[in-house]
Amino acid sequence: MWLTIATPPTKSLEQLDKALNSGVPEGLRARYACQTDGEFRVIAVWESKEHADRFFREVLGPVLARVLGPEPAGAPAIVGMEVLRELIPATS
């Protein structure tokens, strides 16, 4: 599994919602939208690094251009890391 933390160039929750509601990318297991220090963060869990790389390379640009215009205010900063352990608590 692969986890990414992205800081998109969106300025409002409405813009972020439009970008996130553009469909479910192949290989996406979970996605969380957060805000800290006035900036949005999108944390995503992927089946593999290849799925994440393909999304950021082939899908994200057109989505941001559609939501923010042809020249968005910068590309998202992205940090990726391999998931070494996963814990899903049992439900009762």
Side-chain angles (χ1 to χ4, degrees):
M1 271 187 297
W2 190 254
L3 182 134
T4 57
I5 302 172
T7 305
T10 53
K11 299 299 180 201
S12 71
L13 187 56
E14 181 182 69
Q15 287 179 332
L16 183 64
D17 285 343
K18 285 180 182 177
L20 294 180
N21 291 328
S22 61
V24 178
E26 181 182 344
L28 180 67
R29 293 177 57 140
R31 180 168 49 201
Y32 307 91
C34 313
Q35 189 175 27
T36 183
D37 298 325
E39 291 186 315
F40 294 103
R41 302 284 193 280
V42 178
I43 301 165
V45 181
W46 301 89
E47 291 292 331
S48 68
K49 181 179 184 309
E50 290 74 25
H51 283 104
D53 288 347
R54 186 175 322 119
F55 170 77
F56 288 112
R57 184 179 61 246
E58 298 174 7
V59 177
L60 186 60
V63 167
L64 289 178
R66 187 174 67 251
V67 171
L68 303 176
E71 297 181 24
I78 302 164
V79 174
M81 60 199 85
E82 183 178 359
V83 175
L84 301 176
R85 301 268 191 278
E86 178 182 40
L87 169 68
I88 300 175
T91 57
S92 49

mmCIF file of all heavy atoms in Angstrom, residues 47-85:
data_model
loop_
_atom_site.group_PDB
_atom_site.id
_atom_site.type_symbol
_atom_site.label_atom_id
_atom_site.label_comp_id
_atom_site.label_asym_id
_atom_site.label_seq_id
_atom_site.Cartn_x
_atom_site.Cartn_y
_atom_site.Cartn_z
ATOM 1 N N GLU A 47 -3.729 1.380 -3.413
ATOM 2 C CA GLU A 47 -3.319 -0.025 -3.514
ATOM 3 C C GLU A 47 -1.813 -0.132 -3.721
ATOM 4 O O GLU A 47 -1.175 -1.053 -3.202
ATOM 5 C CB GLU A 47 -4.039 -0.722 -4.677
ATOM 6 C CG GLU A 47 -5.516 -0.927 -4.459
ATOM 7 C CD GLU A 47 -5.814 -1.933 -3.371
ATOM 8 O OE1 GLU A 47 -5.009 -2.859 -3.143
ATOM 9 O OE2 GLU A 47 -6.871 -1.789 -2.728
ATOM 10 N N SER A 48 -1.241 0.807 -4.496
ATOM 11 C CA SER A 48 0.191 0.750 -4.792
ATOM 12 C C SER A 48 0.703 2.147 -5.158
ATOM 13 O O SER A 48 -0.083 3.052 -5.471
ATOM 14 C CB SER A 48 0.453 -0.188 -5.972
ATOM 15 O OG SER A 48 -0.068 0.369 -7.173
ATOM 16 N N LYS A 49 1.999 2.291 -5.128
ATOM 17 C CA LYS A 49 2.640 3.536 -5.557
ATOM 18 C C LYS A 49 2.326 3.809 -7.023
ATOM 19 O O LYS A 49 2.127 4.957 -7.427
ATOM 20 C CB LYS A 49 4.152 3.445 -5.343
ATOM 21 C CG LYS A 49 4.907 4.711 -5.744
ATOM 22 C CD LYS A 49 6.387 4.570 -5.492
ATOM 23 C CE LYS A 49 7.176 5.827 -5.769
ATOM 24 N NZ LYS A 49 6.983 6.455 -7.036
ATOM 25 N N GLU A 50 2.273 2.769 -7.820
ATOM 26 C CA GLU A 50 1.994 2.926 -9.248
ATOM 27 C C GLU A 50 0.610 3.541 -9.473
ATOM 28 O O GLU A 50 0.442 4.382 -10.357
ATOM 29 C CB GLU A 50 2.103 1.579 -9.975
ATOM 30 C CG GLU A 50 3.522 1.043 -10.069
ATOM 31 C CD GLU A 50 4.075 0.491 -8.742
ATOM 32 O OE1 GLU A 50 3.277 0.068 -7.867
ATOM 33 O OE2 GLU A 50 5.301 0.500 -8.578
ATOM 34 N N HIS A 51 -0.391 3.112 -8.688
ATOM 35 C CA HIS A 51 -1.729 3.706 -8.812
ATOM 36 C C HIS A 51 -1.680 5.199 -8.490
ATOM 37 O O HIS A 51 -2.256 6.019 -9.206
ATOM 38 C CB HIS A 51 -2.724 3.012 -7.875
ATOM 39 C CG HIS A 51 -3.181 1.691 -8.364
ATOM 40 N ND1 HIS A 51 -2.718 0.514 -7.852
ATOM 41 C CD2 HIS A 51 -4.062 1.359 -9.342
ATOM 42 C CE1 HIS A 51 -3.298 -0.496 -8.471
ATOM 43 N NE2 HIS A 51 -4.117 -0.007 -9.386
ATOM 44 N N ALA A 52 -1.002 5.553 -7.397
ATOM 45 C CA ALA A 52 -0.901 6.962 -7.011
ATOM 46 C C ALA A 52 -0.161 7.760 -8.079
ATOM 47 O O ALA A 52 -0.615 8.839 -8.484
ATOM 48 C CB ALA A 52 -0.191 7.092 -5.664
ATOM 49 N N ASP A 53 0.962 7.238 -8.537
ATOM 50 C CA ASP A 53 1.751 7.936 -9.560
ATOM 51 C C ASP A 53 0.924 8.176 -10.821
ATOM 52 O O ASP A 53 0.955 9.266 -11.401
ATOM 53 C CB ASP A 53 3.007 7.149 -9.917
ATOM 54 C CG ASP A 53 4.058 7.172 -8.832
ATOM 55 O OD1 ASP A 53 3.947 7.990 -7.884
ATOM 56 O OD2 ASP A 53 5.003 6.356 -8.918
ATOM 57 N N ARG A 54 0.175 7.169 -11.249
ATOM 58 C CA ARG A 54 -0.646 7.290 -12.455
ATOM 59 C C ARG A 54 -1.713 8.377 -12.260
ATOM 60 O O ARG A 54 -1.941 9.204 -13.142
ATOM 61 C CB ARG A 54 -1.309 5.958 -12.809
ATOM 62 C CG ARG A 54 -2.045 5.998 -14.132
ATOM 63 C CD ARG A 54 -2.618 4.641 -14.567
ATOM 64 N NE ARG A 54 -1.741 3.541 -14.257
ATOM 65 C CZ ARG A 54 -2.057 2.521 -13.439
ATOM 66 N NH1 ARG A 54 -3.233 2.466 -12.863
ATOM 67 N NH2 ARG A 54 -1.202 1.546 -13.218
ATOM 68 N N PHE A 55 -2.357 8.392 -11.092
ATOM 69 C CA PHE A 55 -3.367 9.412 -10.816
ATOM 70 C C PHE A 55 -2.760 10.809 -10.878
ATOM 71 O O PHE A 55 -3.289 11.696 -11.546
ATOM 72 C CB PHE A 55 -4.005 9.181 -9.445
ATOM 73 C CG PHE A 55 -4.866 10.324 -9.012
ATOM 74 C CD1 PHE A 55 -6.128 10.499 -9.553
ATOM 75 C CD2 PHE A 55 -4.408 11.243 -8.087
ATOM 76 C CE1 PHE A 55 -6.927 11.572 -9.165
ATOM 77 C CE2 PHE A 55 -5.195 12.317 -7.690
ATOM 78 C CZ PHE A 55 -6.453 12.478 -8.232
ATOM 79 N N PHE A 56 -1.647 11.021 -10.177
ATOM 80 C CA PHE A 56 -1.040 12.351 -10.145
ATOM 81 C C PHE A 56 -0.500 12.758 -11.516
ATOM 82 O O PHE A 56 -0.546 13.930 -11.881
ATOM 83 C CB PHE A 56 0.050 12.429 -9.083
ATOM 84 C CG PHE A 56 -0.509 12.435 -7.682
ATOM 85 C CD1 PHE A 56 -0.299 11.375 -6.832
ATOM 86 C CD2 PHE A 56 -1.266 13.498 -7.233
ATOM 87 C CE1 PHE A 56 -0.826 11.368 -5.543
ATOM 88 C CE2 PHE A 56 -1.801 13.513 -5.949
ATOM 89 C CZ PHE A 56 -1.584 12.441 -5.105
ATOM 90 N N ARG A 57 -0.048 11.789 -12.293
ATOM 91 C CA ARG A 57 0.521 12.090 -13.611
ATOM 92 C C ARG A 57 -0.559 12.318 -14.667
ATOM 93 O O ARG A 57 -0.469 13.243 -15.476
ATOM 94 C CB ARG A 57 1.449 10.940 -14.021
ATOM 95 C CG ARG A 57 2.180 11.145 -15.328
ATOM 96 C CD ARG A 57 3.107 9.978 -15.658
ATOM 97 N NE ARG A 57 2.381 8.732 -15.794
ATOM 98 C CZ ARG A 57 2.510 7.672 -14.971
ATOM 99 N NH1 ARG A 57 3.324 7.708 -13.948
ATOM 100 N NH2 ARG A 57 1.799 6.575 -15.161
ATOM 101 N N GLU A 58 -1.614 11.486 -14.663
ATOM 102 C CA GLU A 58 -2.559 11.488 -15.777
ATOM 103 C C GLU A 58 -3.925 12.109 -15.475
ATOM 104 O O GLU A 58 -4.593 12.568 -16.395
ATOM 105 C CB GLU A 58 -2.776 10.047 -16.262
ATOM 106 C CG GLU A 58 -1.510 9.397 -16.782
ATOM 107 C CD GLU A 58 -1.696 7.924 -17.122
ATOM 108 O OE1 GLU A 58 -2.853 7.420 -17.078
ATOM 109 O OE2 GLU A 58 -0.683 7.265 -17.416
ATOM 110 N N VAL A 59 -4.346 12.107 -14.227
ATOM 111 C CA VAL A 59 -5.709 12.507 -13.907
ATOM 112 C C VAL A 59 -5.790 13.865 -13.213
ATOM 113 O O VAL A 59 -6.637 14.683 -13.544
ATOM 114 C CB VAL A 59 -6.397 11.428 -13.020
ATOM 115 C CG1 VAL A 59 -7.794 11.852 -12.619
ATOM 116 C CG2 VAL A 59 -6.412 10.089 -13.737
ATOM 117 N N LEU A 60 -4.911 14.111 -12.268
ATOM 118 C CA LEU A 60 -5.051 15.291 -11.419
ATOM 119 C C LEU A 60 -4.973 16.609 -12.190
ATOM 120 O O LEU A 60 -5.762 17.519 -11.931
ATOM 121 C CB LEU A 60 -4.007 15.289 -10.304
ATOM 122 C CG LEU A 60 -4.167 16.409 -9.286
ATOM 123 C CD1 LEU A 60 -5.509 16.321 -8.592
ATOM 124 C CD2 LEU A 60 -3.042 16.381 -8.285
ATOM 125 N N GLY A 61 -4.067 16.734 -13.126
ATOM 126 C CA GLY A 61 -3.924 17.977 -13.888
ATOM 127 C C GLY A 61 -5.215 18.418 -14.553
ATOM 128 O O GLY A 61 -5.668 19.555 -14.350
ATOM 129 N N PRO A 62 -5.855 17.551 -15.337
ATOM 130 C CA PRO A 62 -7.120 17.935 -15.966
ATOM 131 C C PRO A 62 -8.222 18.257 -14.956
ATOM 132 O O PRO A 62 -9.027 19.155 -15.180
ATOM 133 C CB PRO A 62 -7.489 16.718 -16.814
ATOM 134 C CG PRO A 62 -6.179 16.053 -17.106
ATOM 135 C CD PRO A 62 -5.343 16.281 -15.875
ATOM 136 N N VAL A 63 -8.257 17.543 -13.827
ATOM 137 C CA VAL A 63 -9.265 17.821 -12.807
ATOM 138 C C VAL A 63 -9.055 19.223 -12.241
ATOM 139 O O VAL A 63 -9.989 20.016 -12.130
ATOM 140 C CB VAL A 63 -9.236 16.757 -11.677
ATOM 141 C CG1 VAL A 63 -10.056 17.209 -10.477
ATOM 142 C CG2 VAL A 63 -9.732 15.425 -12.189
ATOM 143 N N LEU A 64 -7.817 19.544 -11.881
ATOM 144 C CA LEU A 64 -7.537 20.877 -11.328
ATOM 145 C C LEU A 64 -7.812 21.974 -12.352
ATOM 146 O O LEU A 64 -8.334 23.033 -12.014
ATOM 147 C CB LEU A 64 -6.100 20.961 -10.823
ATOM 148 C CG LEU A 64 -5.798 20.168 -9.553
ATOM 149 C CD1 LEU A 64 -4.323 20.293 -9.190
ATOM 150 C CD2 LEU A 64 -6.684 20.586 -8.399
ATOM 151 N N ALA A 65 -7.480 21.722 -13.618
ATOM 152 C CA ALA A 65 -7.735 22.727 -14.660
ATOM 153 C C ALA A 65 -9.232 22.966 -14.809
ATOM 154 O O ALA A 65 -9.667 24.105 -14.993
ATOM 155 C CB ALA A 65 -7.125 22.274 -15.979
ATOM 156 N N ARG A 66 -10.031 21.902 -14.709
ATOM 157 C CA ARG A 66 -11.481 22.047 -14.833
ATOM 158 C C ARG A 66 -12.052 22.822 -13.639
ATOM 159 O O ARG A 66 -12.927 23.661 -13.798
ATOM 160 C CB ARG A 66 -12.144 20.670 -14.944
ATOM 161 C CG ARG A 66 -13.623 20.753 -15.248
ATOM 162 C CD ARG A 66 -14.270 19.396 -15.493
ATOM 163 N NE ARG A 66 -14.281 18.576 -14.291
ATOM 164 C CZ ARG A 66 -13.525 17.492 -14.095
ATOM 165 N NH1 ARG A 66 -12.692 17.078 -15.028
ATOM 166 N NH2 ARG A 66 -13.593 16.808 -12.981
ATOM 167 N N VAL A 67 -11.541 22.575 -12.435
ATOM 168 C CA VAL A 67 -12.077 23.205 -11.226
ATOM 169 C C VAL A 67 -11.510 24.610 -11.017
ATOM 170 O O VAL A 67 -12.238 25.527 -10.651
ATOM 171 C CB VAL A 67 -11.792 22.322 -9.990
ATOM 172 C CG1 VAL A 67 -12.139 23.036 -8.697
ATOM 173 C CG2 VAL A 67 -12.547 20.998 -10.098
ATOM 174 N N LEU A 68 -10.213 24.787 -11.259
ATOM 175 C CA LEU A 68 -9.545 26.049 -10.928
ATOM 176 C C LEU A 68 -9.240 26.928 -12.123
ATOM 177 O O LEU A 68 -8.746 28.039 -11.965
ATOM 178 C CB LEU A 68 -8.234 25.751 -10.190
ATOM 179 C CG LEU A 68 -8.359 24.924 -8.916
ATOM 180 C CD1 LEU A 68 -6.990 24.613 -8.350
ATOM 181 C CD2 LEU A 68 -9.216 25.629 -7.896
ATOM 182 N N GLY A 69 -9.474 26.415 -13.317
ATOM 183 C CA GLY A 69 -9.126 27.171 -14.513
ATOM 184 C C GLY A 69 -7.865 26.597 -15.128
ATOM 185 O O GLY A 69 -7.174 25.783 -14.503
ATOM 186 N N PRO A 70 -7.530 27.001 -16.338
ATOM 187 C CA PRO A 70 -6.409 26.398 -17.051
ATOM 188 C C PRO A 70 -5.045 26.639 -16.412
ATOM 189 O O PRO A 70 -4.101 25.920 -16.678
ATOM 190 C CB PRO A 70 -6.482 27.016 -18.442
ATOM 191 C CG PRO A 70 -7.292 28.246 -18.274
ATOM 192 C CD PRO A 70 -8.208 28.026 -17.110
ATOM 193 N N GLU A 71 -4.957 27.646 -15.560
ATOM 194 C CA GLU A 71 -3.673 27.930 -14.914
ATOM 195 C C GLU A 71 -3.859 28.007 -13.401
ATOM 196 O O GLU A 71 -3.883 29.087 -12.817
ATOM 197 C CB GLU A 71 -3.088 29.233 -15.455
ATOM 198 C CG GLU A 71 -2.770 29.157 -16.927
ATOM 199 C CD GLU A 71 -2.172 30.448 -17.449
ATOM 200 O OE1 GLU A 71 -1.592 31.207 -16.660
ATOM 201 O OE2 GLU A 71 -2.280 30.677 -18.657
ATOM 202 N N PRO A 72 -3.990 26.828 -12.743
ATOM 203 C CA PRO A 72 -4.163 26.864 -11.289
ATOM 204 C C PRO A 72 -2.949 27.479 -10.612
ATOM 205 O O PRO A 72 -1.855 27.504 -11.165
ATOM 206 C CB PRO A 72 -4.330 25.402 -10.904
ATOM 207 C CG PRO A 72 -4.063 24.595 -12.106
ATOM 208 C CD PRO A 72 -3.966 25.500 -13.288
ATOM 209 N N ALA A 73 -3.161 27.974 -9.412
ATOM 210 C CA ALA A 73 -2.089 28.626 -8.649
ATOM 211 C C ALA A 73 -1.119 27.586 -8.100
ATOM 212 O O ALA A 73 -1.081 27.325 -6.916
ATOM 213 C CB ALA A 73 -2.691 29.452 -7.531
ATOM 214 N N GLY A 74 -0.367 26.972 -8.968
ATOM 215 C CA GLY A 74 0.640 26.004 -8.556
ATOM 216 C C GLY A 74 0.116 24.583 -8.531
ATOM 217 O O GLY A 74 -1.068 24.334 -8.460
ATOM 218 N N ALA A 75 1.041 23.664 -8.592
ATOM 219 C CA ALA A 75 0.712 22.241 -8.500
ATOM 220 C C ALA A 75 0.688 21.853 -7.029
ATOM 221 O O ALA A 75 1.309 22.504 -6.197
ATOM 222 C CB ALA A 75 1.761 21.424 -9.253
ATOM 223 N N PRO A 76 -0.033 20.776 -6.699
ATOM 224 C CA PRO A 76 -0.050 20.368 -5.307
ATOM 225 C C PRO A 76 1.311 19.845 -4.862
ATOM 226 O O PRO A 76 2.028 19.214 -5.639
ATOM 227 C CB PRO A 76 -1.098 19.253 -5.262
ATOM 228 C CG PRO A 76 -1.216 18.778 -6.663
ATOM 229 C CD PRO A 76 -0.849 19.931 -7.545
ATOM 230 N N ALA A 77 1.659 20.143 -3.625
ATOM 231 C CA ALA A 77 2.841 19.527 -3.025
ATOM 232 C C ALA A 77 2.403 18.140 -2.567
ATOM 233 O O ALA A 77 1.351 17.996 -1.950
ATOM 234 C CB ALA A 77 3.325 20.360 -1.848
ATOM 235 N N ILE A 78 3.200 17.130 -2.881
ATOM 236 C CA ILE A 78 2.806 15.745 -2.584
ATOM 237 C C ILE A 78 3.934 15.033 -1.872
ATOM 238 O O ILE A 78 5.091 15.078 -2.313
ATOM 239 C CB ILE A 78 2.453 14.986 -3.872
ATOM 240 C CG1 ILE A 78 1.326 15.705 -4.619
ATOM 241 C CG2 ILE A 78 2.072 13.540 -3.568
ATOM 242 C CD1 ILE A 78 1.163 15.272 -6.040
ATOM 243 N N VAL A 79 3.578 14.356 -0.793
ATOM 244 C CA VAL A 79 4.514 13.483 -0.083
ATOM 245 C C VAL A 79 3.931 12.082 -0.155
ATOM 246 O O VAL A 79 2.736 11.895 0.093
ATOM 247 C CB VAL A 79 4.667 13.910 1.398
ATOM 248 C CG1 VAL A 79 5.528 12.920 2.158
ATOM 249 C CG2 VAL A 79 5.225 15.308 1.502
ATOM 250 N N GLY A 80 4.747 11.109 -0.508
ATOM 251 C CA GLY A 80 4.290 9.726 -0.577
ATOM 252 C C GLY A 80 5.144 8.831 0.299
ATOM 253 O O GLY A 80 6.325 9.112 0.509
ATOM 254 N N MET A 81 4.515 7.784 0.828
ATOM 255 C CA MET A 81 5.265 6.845 1.669
ATOM 256 C C MET A 81 4.606 5.478 1.645
ATOM 257 O O MET A 81 3.402 5.363 1.456
ATOM 258 C CB MET A 81 5.370 7.372 3.098
ATOM 259 C CG MET A 81 4.037 7.593 3.780
ATOM 260 S SD MET A 81 4.136 8.690 5.187
ATOM 261 C CE MET A 81 4.002 10.270 4.364
ATOM 262 N N GLU A 82 5.440 4.468 1.810
ATOM 263 C CA GLU A 82 4.951 3.096 1.854
ATOM 264 C C GLU A 82 4.301 2.829 3.200
ATOM 265 O O GLU A 82 4.823 3.222 4.249
ATOM 266 C CB GLU A 82 6.103 2.124 1.639
ATOM 267 C CG GLU A 82 5.673 0.680 1.599
ATOM 268 C CD GLU A 82 6.834 -0.271 1.345
ATOM 269 O OE1 GLU A 82 7.976 0.191 1.180
ATOM 270 O OE2 GLU A 82 6.591 -1.477 1.335
ATOM 271 N N VAL A 83 3.159 2.154 3.170
ATOM 272 C CA VAL A 83 2.484 1.755 4.404
ATOM 273 C C VAL A 83 3.135 0.456 4.872
ATOM 274 O O VAL A 83 3.145 -0.545 4.151
ATOM 275 C CB VAL A 83 0.970 1.554 4.175
ATOM 276 C CG1 VAL A 83 0.295 1.014 5.432
ATOM 277 C CG2 VAL A 83 0.330 2.853 3.715
ATOM 278 N N LEU A 84 3.687 0.490 6.069
ATOM 279 C CA LEU A 84 4.374 -0.686 6.609
ATOM 280 C C LEU A 84 3.447 -1.567 7.440
ATOM 281 O O LEU A 84 3.623 -2.787 7.495
ATOM 282 C CB LEU A 84 5.574 -0.252 7.455
ATOM 283 C CG LEU A 84 6.615 0.575 6.710
ATOM 284 C CD1 LEU A 84 7.704 1.036 7.674
ATOM 285 C CD2 LEU A 84 7.209 -0.217 5.553
ATOM 286 N N ARG A 85 2.497 -0.968 8.110
ATOM 287 C CA ARG A 85 1.518 -1.706 8.913
ATOM 288 C C ARG A 85 0.164 -1.039 8.749
ATOM 289 O O ARG A 85 0.072 0.173 8.653
ATOM 290 C CB ARG A 85 1.861 -1.669 10.408
ATOM 291 C CG ARG A 85 3.183 -2.238 10.780
ATOM 292 C CD ARG A 85 3.046 -3.716 11.141
ATOM 293 N NE ARG A 85 4.263 -4.233 11.758
ATOM 294 C CZ ARG A 85 5.327 -4.642 11.112
ATOM 295 N NH1 ARG A 85 5.360 -4.577 9.796
ATOM 296 N NH2 ARG A 85 6.373 -5.116 11.750
#
